[in-house]
Amino acid sequence: MDLRKPKLSRILNVKKTPGISSYLVGKAPVDDIIKVTEIPGLHVVSAGHIPPNPTELIQGEKFRELMGYLKEKFDYVIMDTAPVSPVTDAQLLQEFADINLFVVRHAKTPRNFLNMIEGLHKQKKFKNMCLVFNGLKPRGFQIYGYGFGGYGNGYGYGYGYGYGYGGEYGGGYYLEEKIGIRSVLKALFRRN
């Protein structure tokens, strides 16, 4: 649903067109925009050509029909949207979401964006707001044997490798930065 700077088609090796924009302007049927990926069980609806009026397309009745169809056909519908600021697309799309995840990258996301997210939360602009904080790296900080990197770090409290969380990626809740979205999606769909 990032109709301004789409990237997922390239990442997931599917054709960009036809896509959502093609469907919304009546140039493609819905079944032509749903694409099978290399990851079993994962389908993607690509963005299509970048339209001159993404906000208008999102507000149309045809988009509402598309979301109803997708929610009936699939167990989960995940929308990757344009960033919350400066465009309103994400705010318009939140009506169709059960959970709204905001991804914040350590040492990259400007602090004023965090203030904006806090303001959106206080104003209740998004329902069920959650924050994903990624790109965090251990700094070697330790006090009394407790190190940075997660509860139970190295203590065997039932977290990490051997308990369904580590597997091929190593231990714990944290994935290394070098793992791309494709690897994470494969792991998620393998668990379900």
Side-chain angles (χ1 to χ4, degrees):
M1 280 312 305
D2 187 347
L3 297 178
R4 297 170 191 278
K5 292 184 180 180
K7 294 181 183 115
L8 280 180
S9 299
R10 182 175 31 92
I11 293 170
L12 294 173
N13 293 325
V14 297
K15 289 184 179 180
K16 179 181 166 185
T17 58
I20 293 170
S21 61
S22 313
Y23 169 78
L24 294 176
V25 297
K27 296 203 176 201
V30 69
D31 290 329
D32 286 358
I33 66 171
I34 300 171
K35 296 164 180 127
V36 177
T37 67
E38 297 169 357
I39 302 167
L42 178 67
H43 295 75
V44 68
V45 178
S46 56
H49 293 291
I50 298 172
N53 57 345
T55 303
E56 289 176 34
L57 293 177
I58 291 169
Q59 291 176 313
E61 187 58 36
K62 199 145 172 101
F63 180 74
R64 185 173 296 283
E65 291 170 11
L66 173 64
M67 289 306 298
Y69 178 79
L70 293 174
K71 286 184 175 187
E72 277 184 31
K73 185 170 173 114
F74 297 99
D75 295 331
Y76 300 99
V77 177
I78 301 170
M79 291 184 283
D80 176 35
T81 69
V84 173
S85 183
V87 295
T88 61
D89 297 359
Q91 289 183 21
L92 296 172
L93 292 170
Q94 73 90 25
E95 168 189 346
F96 302 98
D98 295 321
I99 297 172
N100 291 279
L101 296 176
F102 292 81
V103 180
V104 176
R105 186 170 178 89
H106 175 68
K108 297 286 183 188
T109 302
R111 188 174 296 271
N112 62 333
F113 282 18
L114 296 174
N115 294 334
M116 179 193 64
I117 291 170
E118 182 179 13
L120 292 169
H121 177 68
K122 286 180 180 176
Q123 296 168 20
K124 298 183 188 279
K125 294 277 186 178
F126 290 86
K127 59 185 173 191
N128 297 322
M129 287 179 68
C130 298
L131 194 64
V132 175
F133 195 65
N134 73 4
L136 201 58
K137 296 178 184 173
R139 301 196 196 273
F141 178 77
Q142 283 193 322
I143 297 177
Y144 304 114
Y146 292 92
F148 180 81
Y151 182 75
N153 187 23
Y155 287 96
Y157 289 135
Y159 304 112
Y161 185 79
Y163 292 91
Y165 294 102
E168 65 186 304
Y169 299 129
Y173 288 98
Y174 304 98
L175 299 178
E176 293 180 26
E177 193 172 76
K178 64 185 172 189
I179 297 173
I181 189 168
R182 290 175 53 122
S183 299
V184 172
L185 288 171
K186 279 183 183 178
L188 286 173
F189 278 85
R190 192 172 27 251
R191 288 182 190 158
N192 291 334

